[in-house]
């Protein structure tokens, strides 16, 4: 056998390394085929991702800009504060109906000044403004009563049809049956754009503002829902992290390995697979019906999401603890450390990156969770007021980002639909930043050793 | 070849530090240690020799109750240190391990700085009153562990960044930093070069003045060089136990003889 594989004495080898034998060829072919499949799989995945991102961005970016009409409004004392005392109580008695004429007047004046020639009546001109204009003006006057009598420049929202016209959603053909806007008004809008009175700009209120009722999609923002989500995440973090980590440390390091802990272990894994709506109905039954916590409150939402996040945190924490080599525990015990010292001084620091990653990913999941919020009344609630204190933030009814998105997507007006996509962009930005943070933290900690 | 002169000079040598009576160890159904009786002297070095898998490490781990951490492991019988049963309910294994230090078969430094590796034990036992004290303990331990010269310039570099042999000496230094009364060493020199081995053996010889040292080794020469007593294990049995000189020159049991002459192992 040995002499077969060896070159003979004349020095001519039996086989050449420069020629591939059939076996090697087949192996190499299989390998290239496998690589090809892999690349195809990745390309399919990438294509889906790109489609998703493209759809979201193309549909959602519109929500971040809004059409505004700029005008000079004279805050007539005769209309707003007849007594002239600047008494806030009396000023507050003037309703938005009292402010509407001021806006109409100001708008008409502005149109004349810019030399815009139109057949529209003042009433129809003012219709291109958002219904929120009067309340915006009223809010300003109540906040600054000393400005009564002066002429101030205001930027009022245009109504959603006009906004849609500027964004290409509304056209002269599409409004044939629309009672809210006429072709003549659109002509007027074109004139206003030419005069620079009306323009589409970035709208910070979409990000920081409150939700609005069905008639005013142009005024709706996701800010309050964002605060709702923030408070829920605080509750989840404050409860799920300590409970989850403590439970995992106990189970992994201290608990005896017997059938009871086996059952607990299996059940925790099962819990992770329980549909979130089940946690929602549990929250409704326990936190609201039995414990009488307020409905729609971020505290309740946070409690429900805590139940949901706990298994995720426990599973990832246990995995992180398991990954710490047992020799480290032996080393610590060997120099006379107690079990607890071994865990807290040596095991936990090594497991920290894994725990952190698990926690952040659990939080990100909770942030995007919608179904359980349905049952505790956070969906369908119009989040119109910013909470003023932490207690109010936790207990007063609010919405959450995914709930708000769902709510908008459900409403009839296409202007809300656009906002739903805009909301998704914001939600995704949050999720991506959280996941990035998880990656960065993990890298950071890992590099220490 | 065998340094018999050393023996018998130490008054304390014959007082018993550790005594094991009818010790049985089971890993689940495996009977790993079978009825071992042994008396280990204070201020002396005892070597455990025997073929791989015969239970040397297992028995060593009984002496500081490290086997407690293995769920399937069960220990029967009594092990007394200074006449006290260490498997008594009143004994806290943590307190026991402060008294019985251990160097493991595989080097296992903490993933912390070299300094912290050594300082950890003294810190948790409150052996140092202040930073200067601690610095001194660290230096002394590293010197005794025969590694000071190699690490003195990088005390704050991670201990895991050392070579295997350096890590083992670091672990030895870590074990003696807490001043235990008994030191258990599981093949401390298996990853060391001859120079470091000589240094560690010198250390063991020095430790003998204060401590009772039990060392597991696969090197007959090492057992002969450093120990006063030798125990030969085979398949979980303690086959022969006696003065090192006698075991190596005139073994009573056939199995011992075959092992030390290299016929089984
Ligand atoms: N954690 C464990 N679980 C189950 N069985 C074990 C465990 N540790 C050791 N054993 C078994 O116990 C027996 C003795 O093992 P031990 O580690 O004491 O051998 P050793 O003499 O130290 O060998 P070596 O010289 O190779 O280190 C072996 O048969 C081994 O398979
Ligand atoms: Mg061993």
């Amino acid at each position: 056998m040995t002499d077969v594989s060896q070159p003979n004495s004349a020095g001519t080898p039996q086989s050449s390394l420069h020629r591939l034998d059939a076996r090697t060829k087949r192996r190499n072919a299989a390998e290239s085929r496998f690589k090809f499949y892999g690349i195809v799989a990745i390309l399919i995945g990438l294509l889906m991702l790109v489609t998703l991102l493209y759809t979201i961005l193309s549909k959602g970016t519109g929500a971040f800009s809004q059409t505004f009409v700029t005008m000079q409004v004279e805050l007539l004392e005769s209309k707003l504060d007849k007594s002239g005392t600047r008494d806030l109580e009396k000023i507050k008695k003037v309703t938005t109906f009292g402010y509407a004429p001021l806006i109409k007047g100001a708008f008409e004046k502005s149109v004349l000044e810019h030399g815009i020639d139109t057949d529209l009546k003042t009433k129809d001109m003012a219709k291109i403004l958002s219904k929120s204009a009067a309340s915006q003006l009223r809010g300003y006057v109540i906040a600054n009563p000393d400005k009564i009598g002066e002429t101030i420049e205001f930027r009022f929202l245009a109504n959603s049809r006009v906004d849609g016209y500027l964004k290409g959603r509304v056209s002269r053909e599409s409004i044939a049956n629309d009672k809210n806007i006429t072709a003549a008004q659109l002509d007027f809008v074109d004139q206003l754009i030419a005069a620079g009175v009306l323009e589409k700009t970035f709208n910070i209120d979409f990000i920081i503002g409150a939700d609005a009722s069905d008639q005013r999609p142009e005024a709706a923002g996701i800010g309050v829902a964002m605060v709702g989500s923030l408070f829920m995440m605080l509750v989840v973090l404050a409860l799920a992290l300590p409970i989850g980590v403590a439970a995992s440390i106990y189970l992994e390091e201290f608990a005896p390995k017997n059938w009871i802990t086996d059952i607990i272990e299996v059940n925790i894994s099962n819990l992770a697979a329980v549909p979130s709506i089940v946690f929602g109905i549990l929250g409704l039954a326990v936190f609201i019906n039995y414990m009488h916590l307020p409905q729609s409150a971020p505290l309740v939402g946070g409690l429900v999401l805590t139940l949901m996040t706990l298994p995720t945190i426990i599973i990832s924490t246990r995995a992180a603890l398991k990954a710490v080599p047992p020799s480290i525990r032996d080393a610590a015990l060997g120099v006379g450390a107690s079990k607890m010292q071994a865990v807290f001084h040596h095991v936990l620091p090594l497991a920290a990156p894994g725990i952190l990653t698990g926690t952040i990913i659990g939080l990100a999941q909770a942030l995007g969770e919608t179904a359980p919020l349905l049952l505790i009344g956070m969906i369908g609630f119009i989040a119109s007021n910013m909470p003023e204190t932490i207690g109010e933030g936790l207990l007063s009814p609010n919405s959450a980002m995914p709930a708000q998105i769902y709510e908008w997507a459900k409403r009839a007006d296409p202007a809300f639909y656009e906002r739903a996509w805009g909301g998704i962009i914001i939600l995704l930005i949050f999720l991506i930043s959280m996941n990035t943070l998880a990656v960065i933290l993990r890298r950071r900690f890992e590099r220490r050793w | 070849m065998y340094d018999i002169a050393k023996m018998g000079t130490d008054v304390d040598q014959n007082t018993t530090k550790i005594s094991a009576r009818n010790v049985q160890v089971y890993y689940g159904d495996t009977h790993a240690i079978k009825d071992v009786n042994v008396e280990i002297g204070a201020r002396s070095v005892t070597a455990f020799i025997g073929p791989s898998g015969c239970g040397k490490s297992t028995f060593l781990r009984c002496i500081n109750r490290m086997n407690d951490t293995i769920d399937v492991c069960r220990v029967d019988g009594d092990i007394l240190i200074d006449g006290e049963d260490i498997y008594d309910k009143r004994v806290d294994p943590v307190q026991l391990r402060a008294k019985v230090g251990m160097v493991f078969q595989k080097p296992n430094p903490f993933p912390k700085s070299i300094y912290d590796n050594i300082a950890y034990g003294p810190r948790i036992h409150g052996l140092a009153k202040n930073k200067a004290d601690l610095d001194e303990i660290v230096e002394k331990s590293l010197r005794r562990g025969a590694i000071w010269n190699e690490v003195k310039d990088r005390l704050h570099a991670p201990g895991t960044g050392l070579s295997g042999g350096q890590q083992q000496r670091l672990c030895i230094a870590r074990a003696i930093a807490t001043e235990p009364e008994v030191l258990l060493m599981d093949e401390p020199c298996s990853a060391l070069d001859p120079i470091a081995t000589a240094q560690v053996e010198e250390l063991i010889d020095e430790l003998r003045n204060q401590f009772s040292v039990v060392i597991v080794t696969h090197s007959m020469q090492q057992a002969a060089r450093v120990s006063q007593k030798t125990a030969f294990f085979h398949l979980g049995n303690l086959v022969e136990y006696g003065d090192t000189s006698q075991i190596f020159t005139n073994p009573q049991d056939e199995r011992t003889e075959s092992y030390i002459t290299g016929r089984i192992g």
Side-chain angles (χ1 to χ4, degrees), chain A residues 115-343:
Chain A
I116 295 169
D117 182 26
T118 175
D119 297 335
L120 289 176
K121 290 191 206 115
T122 317
K123 198 181 84 186
D124 293 326
M125 278 191 221
K127 267 200 185 142
I128 73 155
L129 293 177
S130 163
K131 291 198 172 64
S132 67
S135 63
Q136 182 191 341
L137 189 61
R138 181 169 178 267
Y140 178 83
V141 169
I142 289 171
N144 309 284
D146 50 314
K147 289 283 200 307
I148 292 178
E150 291 176 33
T151 301
I152 312 275
E153 186 176 278
F154 278 94
R155 238 163 52 112
F156 293 120
L157 282 165
N159 93 24
S160 70
R161 291 302 191 291
V162 175
D163 184 54
Y165 176 61
L166 265 76
K167 288 174 183 166
R169 190 173 64 227
V170 171
S171 65
R172 283 184 176 72
E173 293 81 58
S174 75
I175 58 163
N177 294 321
D178 196 332
K179 285 198 284 291
N180 291 309
I181 198 152
T182 63
Q185 279 169 326
L186 289 186
D187 294 338
F188 174 56
V189 167
D190 284 337
Q191 287 171 314
L192 288 175
I193 295 171
V197 177
L198 182 145
E199 60 176 346
K200 192 177 77 166
T201 55
F202 176 70
N203 179 23
I204 186 76
D205 277 335
F206 175 65
I207 301 170
I208 60 171
D211 191 14
S213 63
D214 274 359
Q215 284 82 42
R216 299 180 288 122
E218 63 279 359
I222 201 168
V224 177
M226 212 188 275
V227 172
S229 278
L230 177 79
F231 276 104
M232 289 202 308
M233 289 308 108
L234 288 180
V235 173
V236 174
L237 190 66
L239 292 176
L241 183 63
I243 297 177
V245 171
S248 328
I249 291 179
Y250 177 76
L251 281 176
E252 201 53 50
E253 306 285 341
F254 293 94
K257 303 271 172 291
N258 55 27
W259 62 272
I260 301 181
T261 41
D262 282 349
I263 289 180
I264 293 177
E265 192 165 341
V266 170
N267 279 305
I268 288 173
S269 314
N270 284 344
L271 222 55
V274 169
S276 52
I277 193 124
V278 176
F279 289 110
I281 203 153
L282 185 77
L284 174 66
V286 176
F287 299 129
I288 296 180
N289 292 347
Y290 179 70
M291 288 165 69
H292 298 291
L293 291 174
Q295 262 195 23
S296 313
L299 175 66
V300 179
L303 288 171
V304 169
L305 294 179
T306 300
L307 293 179
M308 245 196 61
T309 316
L310 257 182
T312 314
I313 293 187
I314 292 182
I315 290 171
S316 58
T317 304
R318 292 190 65 183
L321 291 173
K322 265 204 190 91
V324 176
S327 65
I328 299 294
R329 295 179 182 84
D330 283 352
L333 296 178
V335 295
S338 68
K339 209 155 184 182
M340 186 153 151
Q341 286 172 324
V343 170

Side-chain angles (χ1 to χ4, degrees), chain A residues 255-257 327-339 341-342 345-346 349-350 448-449, chain B residues 61 66 69 71 94 97-98 100-102 104 108-113 120-121 124-125 174-175 178:
Chain A
K257 303 271 172 291
S327 65
I328 299 294
R329 295 179 182 84
D330 283 352
L333 296 178
V335 295
S338 68
K339 209 155 184 182
Q341 286 172 324
H345 296 163
H346 300 288
L350 290 177
R448 266 171 53 192
W449 305 121
Chain B
R61 290 164 62 93
M66 278 306 284
T69 59
D71 280 308
V94 173
R97 289 183 202 126
V100 184
M102 181 154 195
F104 294 83
N108 56 354
F110 298 127
K112 293 184 190 293
S113 72
Y120 182 68
I124 59 172
H125 296 303
R174 181 178 66 191
T178 51

Side-chain angles (χ1 to χ4, degrees), chain B residues 27 30 32 50-59 70 72 105 187 218:
Chain B
Y27 289 110
T30 326
S52 187
C54 67
K56 305 178 296 294
S57 300
T58 303
F59 186 67
I70 302 174
V72 293
Q105 188 162 357
E187 295 181 42
H218 279 294

Side-chain angles (χ1 to χ4, degrees), chain A residues 433-448:
Chain A
S433 356
M434 285 168 84
N435 287 340
T436 314
L437 184 72
V439 173
I440 291 173
L441 283 176
R442 192 170 53 204
R443 292 266 164 82
R444 245 282 195 32
F445 272 94
E446 268 171 359
R447 215 174 290 149
R448 266 171 53 192

